[in-house]
């Protein structure tokens, strides 16, 4: 029996959870999550929890007994401004224009719900990684947008793809930038003996 349900449509999150050897099912939250938080850590944890709770509510008490439902959310933050996924190429351009030649932070929040003997346990975490992006020419930004990579990603870039050419260095967990801080997630699952 698979004991983990990943509440995510993100192909990156699926790959990363598979990479560390976790067997899981996928159920996707179909609602638009809205946060009322003000701090990045608070926002990503709240959105991650809403995704996990959406899935939990679709299951009966019996179906979720002994299982962990995992939600995650990633945002990019620069000068106190939150960058989610770009809504079009023009927004992707202005995001990338702002990120190039400077540093910013990526926050991923995770929320794990564990259902046992009719009770619910919840572990929420937020991880921050600093990312230093090299200066880019307008031509480089346009070519990157034309590659199609920015559109489904927070901050309009993916560190794991072509954008790697512009990443000078990072401080913190690489996997957190891609969308799932697997070290942090593994520690949570281990606490509930899910990794055994
Ligand atoms: C910064 C960055 C983000 N991303 C991705 C991770 C996330 O999939 C996405 C941020 O959007 P999210 O809203 O966190 O997640 P999602 O809509 O893709 O999936 P779901 O809500 O169903 O879990 O950006 C990268 O792939 N690489 C990067 O370098």
């Amino acid at each position: 029996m698979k004991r983990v349900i990943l509440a995510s449509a993100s192909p990156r999150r699926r790959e990363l959870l598979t990479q560390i050897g976790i067997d899981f099912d996928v159920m996707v939250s179909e609602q638009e999550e809205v946060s009322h938080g003000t701090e990045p850590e608070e926002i990503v944890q709240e959105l991650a929890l809403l995704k996990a709770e959406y899935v939990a509510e679709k299951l009966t008490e019996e179906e979720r007994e002994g299982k962990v439902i995992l939600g995650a959310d990633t945002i990019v933050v620069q000068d106190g401004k939150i960058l989610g996924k770009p809504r079009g190429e023009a927004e992707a351009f202005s995001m990338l224009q702002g990120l190039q030649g400077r540093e910013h932070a990526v926050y991923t929040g995770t929320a794990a719900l564990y259902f046992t003997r009719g009770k619910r346990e919840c572990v929420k975490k937020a991880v921050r990684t600093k990312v230093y992006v090299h200066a880019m020419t307008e031509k480089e930004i346009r070519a990157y947008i034309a590659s199609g990579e920015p559109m489904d990603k927070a901050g309009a870039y993916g560190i794991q793809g072509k954008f790697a050419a512009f990443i000078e260095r990072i401080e913190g967990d690489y996997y957190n930038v891609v969308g799932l801080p697997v070290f942090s997630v593994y520690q949570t699952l281990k606490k509930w003996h899910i990794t055994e």
Side-chain angles (χ1 to χ4, degrees):
M1 181 191 71
K2 291 179 188 162
R3 296 188 60 201
V4 176
I5 299 171
L6 178 64
S8 174
S10 163
R12 279 82 48 172
R13 297 200 171 112
R14 296 178 195 190
E15 277 166 29
L16 291 176
L17 206 52
T18 303
Q19 187 180 330
I20 62 163
I22 305 292
D23 208 9
F24 59 94
D25 285 316
V26 173
M27 283 178 73
V28 179
S29 166
E30 274 149 29
Q31 70 190 3
E32 180 77 15
E33 293 85 12
V34 182
S35 168
H36 303 289
T38 50
E39 296 307 310
E41 285 93 345
E42 205 186 329
I43 292 168
V44 290
Q45 288 183 58
E46 189 185 353
L47 295 177
L49 181 62
L50 288 172
K51 293 176 190 181
E53 281 177 337
Y54 177 95
V55 168
E57 279 156 25
K58 296 278 169 219
L59 300 172
T60 64
E61 229 172 82
E62 272 152 38
E63 285 170 332
R64 57 195 195 198
E65 176 59 34
K67 293 192 181 171
V68 172
I69 303 175
L70 179 66
D73 195 81
T74 302
I75 57 172
V76 166
V77 181
Q78 191 178 46
D79 302 330
K81 238 183 91 189
I82 291 169
L83 311 180
K85 296 180 197 172
R87 273 160 297 202
E89 293 196 353
E91 198 180 8
F93 185 85
S94 70
M95 283 185 183
L96 292 166
Q97 185 72 276
L99 294 176
Q100 61 84 29
R102 299 190 52 201
E103 63 189 73
H104 64 270
V106 177
Y107 291 83
T108 295
T110 55
L113 300 176
Y114 180 46
F115 294 89
T116 178
R117 295 187 202 109
K119 281 194 303 188
R120 180 186 115 158
E121 288 178 33
C122 174
V123 174
K124 286 189 289 176
K125 292 181 181 174
V127 178
R128 172 178 181 265
T129 305
K130 248 173 135 175
V131 179
Y132 294 78
V133 181
H134 194 72
M136 295 171 79
T137 63
E138 190 177 328
K139 201 174 158 200
E140 284 171 328
I141 296 176
R142 297 234 180 265
Y144 182 62
I145 292 170
S147 76
E149 283 187 16
M151 298 321 293
D152 62 340
K153 299 179 184 80
Y157 77 88
I159 196 170
Q160 69 275 30
K162 291 193 170 67
F163 203 75
F166 306 106
I167 304 287
E168 282 176 14
R169 65 188 176 98
I170 67 169
E171 282 168 24
D173 184 357
Y174 167 80
Y175 302 104
N176 186 53
V177 183
V178 185
L180 197 68
V182 284
F183 167 75
S184 164
V185 167
Y186 183 81
Q187 295 307 313
T188 304
L189 297 178
K190 194 170 153 184
K191 175 177 128 75
W192 292 320
H193 308 285
I194 301 290
T195 53
E196 287 160 17

